[in-house]
Amino acid sequence: MSTVLIVAEHLHGKLNPATARCVSAAAALSPAAIDIVVLAADATDVAAQAAQIAGVRKVLAVANPANAHAIAQIQAPQVAALAGGYSHVFGPSTTFGKDLMPAIAALLGVDQVSDLMAVEGSHSFKRPIYAGNAIITVTMPAGSVVVATVRTASWPEAAAGGSATVEAASVDATLPSHTRFIGLASASSDRPDLQSARRVVSGGRGVGSEDNFKIIYHLADRLGAAVGASRAAVDAGYVPSDLQVGQTGKIIAPELYIAVGISGAIQHLTGIKDAGTIVAINKDGDAPIFEIADIGLVGDLFQVLPALEQALG
């Protein structure tokens, strides 16, 4: 039977919802046990949150001052040391997971499975390629440890209501000194996080300018939504790159996705194909975005959005 160890992603004492999505992926293996490891300077609060995820047997809390910041080169040796006895080690396919999991795989001497989107068997998985236009089956050698990043857009969050035991764990691993934390430069916003938001409003090149992008922010605020953008809008300088949605940006799966002035390039569609409801607003009725949209509004966005906001009351 499989036993799965999931590496928790967290920031400022809050567990990232991507961790619960990894639990859903792990559950598809019908494993004997699913455990979560939390690495932090003080793992108490995050471990308590992880213990509430249904289906989790126990949470390993690794408290170490060296874990104050999520540095892959520091965390990977600790996870690798804990991986003994586990058949699978999962992490989210987020910036955090994409940085950490390859290092874990290298230390364990195995290949990594990237963007796991479906489970075919204990060592067989499906993942997207060619910007999501094709799905392939990847089979790992029988008996090898499977290290994988989970495509969080393909899995729902596991339910809450769990009562896993929390166990303080010590790790005997040599931590490298060649990598150290200098500082974190990140944008701060009162809006929901783009990768975990249930509603997202994105703008594209059709918005026209950085100043015009205010109309996107305004609608997002009315809906309590996160703000995203197409690569074209980012390249044009309308918004910073951390808002980019798509194959080379963030892959998301909100319940509602509103695409404003976005034509629908393949790399953008890859990032939103798992969204619940897609609403497209574009003056070009032949734009590719309408091919996947659940609701399409053909018209000038500067006329459609004010009318939409008025309808919201």
Side-chain angles (χ1 to χ4, degrees):
M1 291 287 287
S2 302
T3 52
V4 187
L5 179 65
I6 294 172
V7 185
E9 178 174 356
H10 58 92
L11 184 65
H12 303 316
K14 291 186 177 181
L15 186 69
N16 191 299
T19 304
R21 294 178 184 269
C22 288
V23 172
S24 291
L29 290 163
S30 298
I34 300 173
D35 296 343
I36 295 177
V37 58
V38 176
L39 300 109
D42 181 355
T44 305
D45 290 343
V46 177
Q49 295 168 46
Q52 296 175 19
I53 301 175
V56 176
R57 177 183 66 173
K58 67 179 177 181
V59 178
L60 302 175
V62 181
N64 188 328
N67 294 328
H69 305 286
I71 301 175
Q73 289 71 25
I74 299 296
Q75 295 188 344
Q78 299 175 73
V79 177
L82 291 168
Y86 290 97
S87 60
H88 297 70
V89 182
F90 284 178
S93 188
T94 58
T95 301
F96 165 80
K98 290 177 180 178
D99 190 32
L100 175 61
M101 302 310 290
I104 295 171
L107 290 172
L108 294 177
V110 298
D111 294 327
Q112 176 192 284
V113 179
S114 300
D115 294 326
L116 185 158
M117 64 182 299
V119 172
E120 298 288 293
S122 64
H123 285 68
S124 183
F125 312 94
K126 288 188 179 296
R127 68 175 300 266
I129 60 172
Y130 299 129
N133 287 306
I135 307 299
I136 62 169
T137 298
V138 178
T139 301
M140 300 294 289
S144 68
V145 177
V146 176
V147 177
T149 57
V150 172
R151 189 177 188 271
T152 54
S154 299
W155 300 92
E157 289 182 35
S163 56
T165 59
V166 177
E167 178 182 306
S170 58
V171 181
D172 183 14
T174 301
L175 305 184
S177 59
H178 65 277
T179 302
R180 59 194 176 94
F181 178 82
I182 299 298
L184 176 65
S186 63
S188 59
S189 173
D190 293 332
R191 297 184 180 89
D193 174 70
L194 179 57
Q195 285 193 291
S196 59
R198 299 187 183 280
R199 286 169 282 190
V200 175
V201 180
S202 283
R205 193 200 306 272
V207 176
S209 68
E210 178 181 1
D211 189 59
N212 286 346
F213 220 85
K214 293 175 182 176
I215 196 170
I216 304 297
Y217 289 117
H218 192 265
L219 177 60
D221 290 342
R222 291 290 305 276
L223 295 173
V227 172
S230 68
R231 178 172 179 172
V234 171
D235 288 346
Y238 300 169
V239 292
S241 60
D242 61 334
L243 297 187
Q244 184 175 323
V245 173
Q247 183 185 16
T248 54
K250 293 181 171 68
I251 295 176
I252 59 176
E255 294 174 1
L256 172 66
Y257 185 78
I258 302 178
V260 182
I262 296 176
S263 62
I266 289 176
Q267 78 88 23
H268 186 81
L269 300 185
T270 298
I272 64 170
K273 63 188 303 181
D274 293 306
T277 300
I278 298 175
V279 178
I281 301 172
N282 200 298
K283 66 180 180 181
D284 179 6
D286 295 322
I289 189 73
F290 288 118
E291 295 179 10
I292 68 164
D294 298 286
I295 301 172
L297 300 173
V298 179
D300 186 331
L301 66 91
F302 297 104
Q303 296 177 2
V304 173
L305 289 193
L308 181 59
E309 288 200 41
Q310 185 175 2
L312 292 174

